[in-house]
Amino acid sequence: MKKILTVEGMTCGHCIGHVESALTELEGVTVLEVSLEAKKVVVESAGEIDAESLKKAVAEAGYSVSAIAEG
């Protein structure tokens, strides 16, 4: 499963680290690609991860998800 998140509030490398750390704690996440310039995070997982879990993890890291698309 692949989802593309638009994440608001990321401004630097530390922001990327916070978002990556939060998302890799979700069970099943296998790959993350973060683009600071595009405000996009590509999440790949072995199984299905619901949108609310993704939003919650990003929110707990201090950022917000404005959109989620299927990859």
Side-chain angles (χ1 to χ4, degrees):
M1 184 222 59
K2 184 179 194 180
K3 294 196 181 202
I4 303 165
L5 287 62
T6 302
V7 178
E8 302 298 330
M10 294 188 303
T11 59
C12 65
H14 291 290
C15 297
I16 291 172
H18 290 284
V19 171
E20 285 178 340
S21 179
L23 290 171
T24 55
E25 289 182 15
L26 294 175
E27 187 176 331
V29 171
T30 57
V31 177
L32 283 175
E33 295 175 31
V34 182
S35 170
L36 186 62
E37 296 78 26
K39 299 181 184 178
K40 302 285 185 193
V41 179
V42 177
V43 179
E44 291 187 40
S45 65
E48 183 66 30
I49 298 177
D50 66 281
E52 287 308 310
S53 294
L54 294 168
K55 288 180 182 180
K56 183 178 178 185
V58 171
E60 287 176 357
Y63 308 93
S64 63
V65 175
S66 61
I68 298 178
E70 296 292 325

